[in-house]
Amino acid sequence: AQSVTQLDSQVPVFEEAPVELRCNYSSSVSVYLFWYVQYPNQGLQLLLKYLSGSTLVESINGFEAEFNKSQTSFHLRKPSVHISDTAEYFCAVSELGRSNDYKLSFGAGTTVTVRA
Amino acid sequence: DTGVSQDPRHKITKRGQNVTFRCDPISEHNRLYWYRQTLGQGPEFLTYFQNEAQLEKSRLLSDRFSAERPKGSFSTLEIQRTEQGDSAMYLCASRRKGGSKVTGELFFGEGSRLTVL
């Protein structure tokens, strides 16, 4: 079974400053990795994903994440945050369940609060 | 709107009452998932369906919980004799079967928040 560890539960950051959210997973097999974002009182939205190929993946709103197989990490970064990036961010790994189909396992989440 | 929809968005109930949540997945998605999210935690897998068949249930799903997807379209999650510990956000998600990349990526609804008094 997979496990996902998000090392920071709360990350306060000033507007226009960079931010990094750390995510580590445990696995001995190939994985698919995801970052989801949850704005207040909303459901989860996919931010970006790593399936294969280039280890650096980007989202349309300036976030990027790098898959590091040797360190089993998938950290999320943004060089300059906006107030609107205030949200909760979840790292997730896709794993095969008992029914031989994929399901997502999530980390506990990191709350990002952007201040002016 | 062709996203995943959930109803009701909020439910407040007294301990011991039964509650039912409904999820309508994206129309061409044959896989449907239920997750539970408590305060300060990430979503935890409860159960999932392929069409009308319930293929897997988490140990988190006690006997008071039952989920159905009778016609392979919408799904219901019923909680009987609710307890205060059942207070949480119940998330529904869906995805297509197969395709060129079977990765587990899910599309989530906005959730149904349950408060048990």
Side-chain angles (χ1 to χ4, degrees):
Chain A
Q2 310 275 12
S3 74
V4 181
T5 303
Q6 291 184 241
L7 298 165
D8 309 291
S9 59
Q10 306 265 352
V11 174
V13 59
F14 286 106
E15 193 174 19
E16 298 182 4
V19 70
E20 179 181 75
L21 309 183
R22 295 178 292 170
C23 173
N24 287 89
Y25 65 93
S26 64
S27 172
S28 59
V29 297
S30 297
V31 296
Y32 303 116
L33 295 158
F34 306 84
W35 276 99
Y36 279 82
V37 59
Q38 187 175 33
Y39 298 104
N41 299 314
Q42 294 188 24
L44 279 73
Q45 302 173 32
L46 181 67
L47 189 60
L48 47 73
K49 60 188 176 185
Y50 170 78
L51 306 179
S52 64
S54 172
T55 57
L56 186 66
V57 291
E58 298 176 349
S59 73
I60 58 174
N61 56 354
F63 283 93
E64 63 179 30
E66 185 161 19
F67 170 59
N68 187 319
K69 187 174 182 179
S70 63
Q71 297 186 4
T72 60
S73 68
F74 190 53
H75 300 333
L76 180 70
R77 302 181 184 94
K78 188 170 184 179
S80 176
V81 296
H82 301 288
I83 297 289
S84 59
D85 292 322
T86 294
E88 192 157 17
Y89 293 80
F90 294 96
C91 182
V93 61
S94 188
E95 61 175 330
L96 278 174
R98 294 196 301 271
S99 55
N100 203 35
D101 195 3
Y102 286 94
K103 68 178 189 286
L104 291 181
S105 295
F106 289 86
T110 299
T111 301
V112 173
T113 305
V114 181
R115 301 168 180 167
Chain B
D1 184 8
T2 58
V4 178
S5 64
Q6 293 188 244
D7 183 70
R9 293 288 310 279
H10 303 276
K11 178 72 176 179
I12 300 174
T13 190
K14 292 182 180 179
R15 188 176 54 190
Q17 298 295 305
N18 299 343
V19 296
T20 299
F21 301 113
R22 175 181 168 124
C23 171
D24 287 88
I26 294 171
S27 59
E28 65 267 27
H29 288 186
N30 69 338
R31 279 169 163 70
L32 185 149
Y33 298 73
W34 286 99
Y35 281 78
R36 181 174 69 186
Q37 185 181 15
T38 53
L39 200 61
Q41 297 296 319
E44 298 171 294
F45 170 78
L46 292 179
T47 188
Y48 97 96
F49 293 83
Q50 177 179 316
N51 299 314
E52 65 275 10
Q54 188 173 19
L55 295 188
E56 187 172 343
K57 293 193 292 186
S58 161
R59 285 184 288 273
L60 294 174
L61 215 63
S62 76
D63 292 343
R64 297 183 297 105
F65 288 70
S66 62
E68 295 182 342
R69 195 182 182 198
K71 297 182 181 178
S73 55
F74 73 91
S75 175
T76 57
L77 177 68
E78 181 183 16
I79 309 173
Q80 296 182 325
R81 304 180 304 281
T82 52
E83 302 172 356
Q84 288 183 328
D86 297 331
S87 294
M89 176 80 86
Y90 291 86
L91 296 166
C92 178
S94 69
R95 72 174 181 91
R96 285 187 304 113
K97 174 186 176 182
S100 60
K101 292 283 187 185
V102 181
T103 66
E105 175 185 345
L106 296 178
F107 296 82
F108 282 85
E110 295 195 335
S112 293
R113 182 172 295 283
L114 173 65
T115 302
V116 182
L117 301 176

